[in-house]
Amino acid sequence: MEDETEKLLQNLVLTEEEDKVVKINPEHTKANESKGQYCLVGRTLSRRPINMEAMENTLSMAWGVSKGFSCKPLKENIFLFIFKHVVDKQRALRNGP
């Protein structure tokens, strides 16, 4: 599965909008730094709307999350994952997708 993912990523091309640099005010960074240790931002590659409940259930099983997490839409097909424990965040990063 890892080889398949690598092949797909080699063909991934960002649009001009996706490749833009986002500047963040340092004051906002310091105020939210502790919260960030529990968060990940992810994106789906589907053009169709995502069923949030189904995605949360599927990812919870795939990641092996023990303490739980919530998911908030940020933009179309871009999501903020907020974990209840930093170990679950690390497990999600390690286990993918």
Side-chain angles (χ1 to χ4, degrees):
M1 182 172 174
E2 191 173 312
D3 291 336
E4 292 174 31
T5 304
E6 285 182 28
K7 287 178 186 176
L8 288 172
L9 289 174
Q10 288 175 352
N11 296 325
L12 183 66
V13 178
L14 297 177
T15 65
E16 189 174 313
E17 181 181 344
E18 294 168 332
D19 201 32
K20 288 182 182 175
V21 173
V22 177
K23 293 184 180 182
I24 300 173
N25 183 331
E27 291 177 20
H28 294 132
T29 305
K30 289 185 188 231
N32 290 304
E33 195 171 283
S34 65
K35 293 178 187 178
Q37 70 178 343
Y38 295 97
C39 300
L40 292 174
V41 174
R43 176 183 194 146
T44 60
L45 300 178
S46 173
R47 295 188 188 272
R48 299 184 330 208
I50 299 298
N51 178 321
M52 295 287 292
E53 184 178 346
M55 180 174 66
E56 285 184 23
N57 289 336
T58 301
L59 290 176
S60 182
M61 288 186 293
W63 290 338
V65 174
S66 61
K67 304 291 184 190
F69 72 97
S70 60
C71 182
K72 294 183 181 180
L74 298 177
K75 285 177 121 179
E76 186 176 337
N77 294 335
I78 298 177
F79 304 93
L80 176 66
F81 299 100
I82 306 164
F83 294 86
K84 294 185 179 175
H85 198 282
V86 72
V87 171
D88 284 336
K89 174 190 166 186
Q90 293 166 346
R91 189 177 292 127
L93 283 169
R94 188 174 55 248
N95 293 344

